[in-house]
């Protein structure tokens, strides 16, 4: 049995301007020019490969030479249209600029031009990759372009318009073709697959579309390849296999590990995918793209326009960047860019990647600052909410005991303070001391537990920064979370609850049910003021001068003080 297979790019080549994907700005202009009889004699189509330049040139040739033309929508049925579609038209010449780039060929062309077309209205010359012509050939061509015979049209196509002499450019009407978005490529492939009765997942379509990098022709030939190699439904896994692509999940896993500071996890993933035969340089390129997308998602402007990924993945990116600052992503991005040059010439790309990640963990001043802000906030809140906490500090200065009395108007509080005046150190050593009321006891206990958590799980600890232990029964503990919705959501994750349970059971020696309560936020004004203050703090910490100082002096930020006139 002889299998005949017409490649998809040919089978589904657009036959009208309407069918061309993503180049409306070009096809509409051409359609209007044809309608009004004002088509230029020399046109230049520039743009990336596989974006439809020669396809549009052919449609234009049909539109001009169709028996019922010139007409914006060629009939595609008359003998002239059919001849052009099959590449056999007597008056339409498709010339490859790369192989016919000498002055001889152009002279021949000029001779030929003098004769009238055989069957149609125009002699149309489509010269592909026109930038490949030699200087002499361009000069010969220029003479024709200066005084083109009325029955002749030139359509030049190029991926590199910069290489075309200005004298030629100035005599052409230029149309720039756009790189096709993955979205549009995926959509077109979906249409084709449904016509071909091919079952393929959405994920697969996106994988191919992204690999094609803006070229419809490349996308369709990848799709050909996948169809030929597959039996049954086409899945993402199969595509990764056939095309040797890096799984998107791996990109998310690695970036998660980067953002949570888990170097062991990264080295483990690198090892696994290296053994599976993935291209490490490609992985690096994918990571760069990913962090670039995270940066845009974090900034949050024109996301759907600038991040050419399915909504599902954009949502995952939003989730991934919630806890980190744009400045930190930017730092990672800079390091990735710095290493890309080195990686290109490295004979051991896996090792180079590992080194890069290790470097990444050595310089990450922005993340700790983020946590620092959290801590500053929680400290401030503790001070403002439980006046008691600040008392030992005031008391530590025995020279001015009056201040303590002045600030603590509440009778009961003053009493508590005076009992605690033995000093904070001693108090901490005796958490069970009867001098402390139950509330304080809980606070101290909770402080110790969160202390343990922050050593092992800094990210969970930062989410717990504004939490309190409000009830401790035999088998149940109630934790009050007083942060953002996000903090609450993070803490409530199964993984985090089980970490909490583990640490508490180790701490107390018995198991607890942990109940998380959300505290209703204080008044709106307070909240707004806090947000405003946070913004100012973040701005100060992100200031290049501050970042540089931290790096130069290898220092840490102790506190950020806000002058009152700034909060307005
Ligand atoms: Zn026709």
């Amino acid at each position: 049995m002889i299998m005949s297979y017409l490649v998809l790019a040919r089978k589904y080549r657009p036959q009208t301007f309407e069918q061309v994907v993503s180049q409306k700005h070009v096809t509409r202009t051409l359609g209007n020019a044809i309608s009004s009889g004002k088509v230029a004699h020399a046109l230049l189509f520039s743009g990336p490969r596989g974006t439809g330049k020669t396809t549009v040139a052919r449609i234009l040739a049909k539109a001009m030479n169709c028996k019922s033309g010139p007409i914006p929508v060629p009939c595609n049925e008359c003998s002239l249209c059919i001849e052009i579609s099959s590449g056999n038209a007597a008056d339409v010449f498709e010339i490859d600029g790369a192989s016919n780039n000498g002055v001889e060929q152009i002279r021949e062309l000029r001779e030929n031009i003098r004769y009238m077309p055989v069957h149609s209205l125009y002699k149309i010359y489509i010269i592909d990759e026109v930038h490949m012509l030699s200087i002499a050939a361009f000069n010969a061509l220029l003479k024709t372009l200066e005084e083109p015979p009325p029955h002749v049209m030139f359509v030049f196509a190029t991926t590199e318009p910069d290489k075309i002499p200005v004298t030629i450019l100035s005599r052409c009407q230029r149309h720039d073709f756009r790189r096709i978005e993955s979205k549009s490529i995926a959509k077109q492939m979906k249409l084709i697959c449904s016509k071909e009765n091919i079952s393929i997942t959405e994920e697969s379509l996106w994988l191919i579309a992204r690999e094609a990098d803006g070229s419809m022709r490349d996308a369709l030939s990848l799709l050909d390849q996948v169809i030929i190699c597959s039996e049954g439904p086409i899945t993402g896994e199969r595509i990764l296999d056939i095309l040797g692509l890096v799984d998107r999940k791996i990109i998310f896993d690695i970036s998660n590990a980067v953002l949570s500071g888990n170097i062991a996890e990264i080295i483990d993933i690198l090892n696994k995918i290296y053994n599976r035969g993935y291209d490490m340089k490609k992985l690096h390129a994918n990571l760069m793209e990913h962090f670039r997308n995270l940066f845009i998602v974090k900034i949050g402007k024109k996301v759907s326009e600038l991040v050419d990924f399915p909504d599902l993945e954009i949502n995952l990116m939003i989730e991934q960047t919630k806890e980190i600052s744009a400045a930190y992503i930017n730092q990672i991005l800079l390091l990735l860019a710095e290493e890309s040059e080195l990686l290109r010439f490295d004979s051991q790309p896996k090792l180079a990647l590992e080194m890069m990640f290790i470097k990444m963990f050595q310089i990450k001043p922005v993340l700790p600052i983020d946590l620092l802000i959290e801590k500053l906030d929680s400290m401030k809140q503790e001070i403002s909410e439980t006046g008691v906490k600040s008392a030992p500090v005031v008391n530590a200065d025995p020279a001015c005991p009056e201040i303590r009395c002045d600030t603590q108007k509440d009778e009961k509080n003053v009493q508590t303070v005076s009992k605690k005046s033995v000093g904070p150190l001693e108090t901490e050593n005796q958490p069970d001391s009867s001098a402390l009321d139950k509330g304080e006891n809980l606070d101290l206990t909770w402080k110790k537990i969160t202390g343990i958590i922050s050593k092992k799980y800094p990210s969970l600890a930062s989410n717990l920064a504004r939490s309190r232990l409000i009830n401790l029964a035999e088998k149940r503990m109630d934790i009050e979370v007083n942060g953002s919705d996000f903090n609450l959501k993070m803490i409530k994750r199964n993984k985090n609850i089980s970490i909490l349970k583990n640490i508490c059971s180790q701490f107390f020696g018995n198991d607890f049910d942990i109940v998380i309560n959300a505290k209703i936020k204080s008044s709106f004004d307070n909240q707004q003021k806090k947000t405003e203050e946070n913004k100012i703090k973040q701005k100060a910490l992100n200031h290049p001068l501050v970042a540089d100082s931290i790096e130069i002096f290898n220092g840490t930020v102790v506190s950020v003080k806000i002058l009152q006139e700034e909060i307005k």
Side-chain angles (χ1 to χ4, degrees), residues 66-68 74-78 81:
C66 175
K67 277 188 177 166
S68 45
C75 75
N76 277 310
E77 282 169 358
C78 69
C81 279

Side-chain angles (χ1 to χ4, degrees), residues 552-566:
I552 292 166
F553 298 113
N554 194 20
T556 49
V557 175
V558 177
S559 80
V560 179
K561 280 184 188 159
I562 298 172
L563 300 175
Q564 277 315 304
E565 58 265 31
E566 286 195 59

Side-chain angles (χ1 to χ4, degrees), residues 442 445-446 449 469 471-479 496-516:
L442 288 176
T445 309
W446 187 235
I449 294 173
L469 181 60
N471 181 35
L472 183 63
E474 198 184 341
K475 284 190 171 175
R476 168 189 165 134
M477 53 194 296
D478 291 64
I479 297 166
N496 285 334
I497 292 290
S498 66
I499 290 173
L500 267 174
K501 276 187 176 172
N502 263 334
I503 287 179
C504 290
S505 89
Q506 275 169 27
F507 187 84
F508 293 106
N510 58 328
D511 291 338
F512 287 95
D513 279 335
I514 293 183
V515 180
I516 303 286

Side-chain angles (χ1 to χ4, degrees), residues 80-131:
L80 292 173
C81 279
I82 290 170
E83 278 171 19
I84 295 172
S85 292
S86 59
N88 299 320
D91 298 314
V92 177
F93 306 87
E94 284 191 40
I95 300 160
D96 174 18
S99 49
N100 299 288
N101 59 357
V103 68
E104 278 312 308
Q105 279 96 351
I106 299 295
R107 286 217 179 106
E108 205 182 301
L109 185 147
R110 282 177 61 199
E111 280 299 305
N112 195 320
I113 276 169
R114 294 192 305 183
Y115 305 106
M116 292 302 284
V118 187
H119 304 295
S120 14
L121 283 173
Y122 296 94
K123 270 192 159 175
I124 300 174
Y125 294 85
I126 300 170
I127 306 183
D128 201 7
E129 300 298 338
V130 69
H131 61 270

